[in-house]
Amino acid sequence: MFVVGGESLIDLVQEPLGPDGVIRMSAHQGGSPYNCAIALSKLGNDTGFLCPISKDGFGTYLLAPLQEAGVKSLLPERVFAPSTLAVVTLNAKKEARYEFYRGADRAFTAEGLRAALPDGMKVFQIGGFCPIEPEDAAVWVDVAIHALRKGAILSMDPNVRPSLVSDFDAYKRRLAAFLDLVHVAKLSKEDLVALDASKSIEQHAKELLGRPNCELVVVTLGDEGSVAFTETGTARAGIYSPPMFGDTVGAGDSLMAGILTILDEQGDLKPGRLSRLDQAALEKVLRFGAVVAGLNCARKGCTPPTRSEVDTVPHLPD
């Protein structure tokens, strides 16, 4: 099973201001780990989601896509804390910017999360809000170590959000504790700039690969595609542009799911094998991820494609 740990939330997207001057919001299910879990399941993977879900109406709204996609809720008992909210503004390029009001995604205990981890995990994917708060980070690191001991590959997409952090230096120390555990790290170029703008992407990748477990680093470059690094090779791939464009919400989460999926299918999602991926292998992985992300961008909001939709794209690598 692929297990994804981290937040689910409601995106409240501001609609264009009408002539009456009233702000209207539309509600959409979201959260980077939530999106990734759905994308993994729609790509055909047995997937579990490790996040508390509120008893409120938004919680019911969040559960529906998980159930539709076949994602197993690993914390089935819903909590009284209100659903976490993100207020979303789209810029002229339809790229999303967020402000957060947190609730149910933090209503957990270390004991509860550890107990919910299934046996036989292939992957434990973490990220999003996990390193934001010191007390939360301590719990998620503990759970990640528990997953590692159960034999899981660890992967992380931190989605660095400086606006959520009061002490960014302390946040970077917490994030480093996670990065010391993971085998696969996926970050955006914006993440790397926020962490240290003085370093190049290549320097960041080299430092990540020098951590105790890390064997594969993927960096997304927006409309310039993505680049991947191992000890053995480096590769770059462009984006996949769908025939029609919706927006970029969830593109990175879908790409992450695509990368984990193709690595597993190729038998490479194992310690020692990831580090041996060469340029040709990395290009194949990135192109598959790009197609998954591109098809997500064909619709508004995060709507990851099914595996059958991905397989209809004619120029996927053999």
Side-chain angles (χ1 to χ4, degrees):
M1 175 181 278
F2 288 69
V3 174
V4 184
E7 76 275 2
S8 63
L9 52 81
I10 296 295
D11 288 323
L12 292 178
V13 184
Q14 183 174 334
E15 304 294 342
L17 196 64
D20 57 3
V22 175
I23 294 177
R24 293 177 172 83
M25 313 291 289
S26 57
H28 307 272
Q29 305 96 331
S32 177
Y34 174 90
N35 294 338
C36 188
I38 290 173
L40 281 166
S41 191
K42 291 178 75 172
L43 290 173
N45 303 291
D46 181 23
T47 305
F49 185 47
L50 191 63
C51 175
I53 302 293
S54 176
K55 291 178 178 286
D56 65 18
F58 280 143
T60 301
Y61 189 48
L62 284 164
L63 276 176
L66 292 171
Q67 294 169 344
E68 183 179 351
V71 178
K72 298 176 179 66
S73 181
L74 300 178
L75 297 171
E77 185 174 346
R78 292 167 67 176
V79 299
F80 285 98
S83 294
T84 295
L85 303 179
V87 177
V88 184
T89 302
L90 300 177
N91 66 17
K93 296 175 70 174
K94 298 186 178 181
E95 297 170 330
R97 299 293 182 267
Y98 302 86
E99 294 293 337
F100 298 94
Y101 304 86
R102 300 185 63 185
D105 76 289
R106 300 186 66 197
F108 52 69
T109 65
E111 294 76 17
L113 294 180
R114 284 198 306 266
L117 288 177
D119 294 326
M121 283 183 294
K122 290 181 180 179
V123 173
F124 183 50
Q125 158 76 12
I126 49 177
F129 293 170
C130 292
I132 295 292
E133 299 293 340
E135 56 271 32
D136 295 355
V139 169
W140 283 112
V141 165
D142 176 77
V143 175
I145 292 172
H146 193 66
L148 195 62
R149 290 171 178 165
K150 290 171 78 72
I153 284 282
L154 266 57
S155 60
M156 186 174 198
D157 180 2
N159 267 286
V160 178
R161 299 189 186 277
S163 64
L164 272 179
V165 182
S166 58
D167 184 342
F168 198 65
D169 287 336
Y171 166 82
K172 289 195 289 185
R173 290 192 292 271
R174 294 192 294 274
L175 177 58
F178 287 93
L179 294 174
D180 279 344
L181 298 175
V182 302
H183 302 91
V184 180
K186 177 251 171 188
L187 302 96
S188 69
K189 63 179 180 180
E190 291 83 7
D191 291 337
L192 298 182
V193 168
L195 292 171
D196 191 339
S198 71
K199 295 176 182 175
S200 67
I201 289 173
E202 291 76 16
Q203 288 173 313
H204 276 287
K206 183 178 180 179
E207 290 185 4
L208 286 165
L209 291 173
R211 291 179 179 273
N213 287 344
C214 189
E215 297 187 22
L216 171 62
V217 175
V218 175
V219 180
T220 56
L221 309 171
D223 57 10
E224 296 178 355
S226 58
V227 60
F229 304 85
T230 66
E231 289 184 358
T232 309
T234 301
R236 187 166 183 154
I239 64 170
Y240 168 71
S241 298
M244 299 197 55
F245 179 76
D247 58 44
T248 63
V249 175
D253 308 321
S254 296
L255 183 139
M256 184 81 219
I259 285 173
L260 292 174
T261 297
I262 194 67
L263 286 171
D264 182 51
E265 290 180 5
Q266 295 175 168
D268 292 322
L269 204 51
K270 300 173 183 176
R273 296 202 54 156
L274 288 164
S275 64
R276 297 198 296 271
L277 294 170
D278 59 15
Q279 180 179 352
L282 290 172
E283 286 177 353
K284 180 177 180 179
V285 168
L286 291 179
R287 289 201 299 271
F288 187 90
V291 169
V292 178
L295 289 172
N296 176 82
C297 293
R299 294 166 282 233
K300 290 185 179 294
C302 183
T303 312
T306 63
R307 183 56 189 264
S308 61
E309 289 176 308
V310 174
D311 289 341
T312 62
V313 175
H315 61 273
L316 269 175
D318 296 328

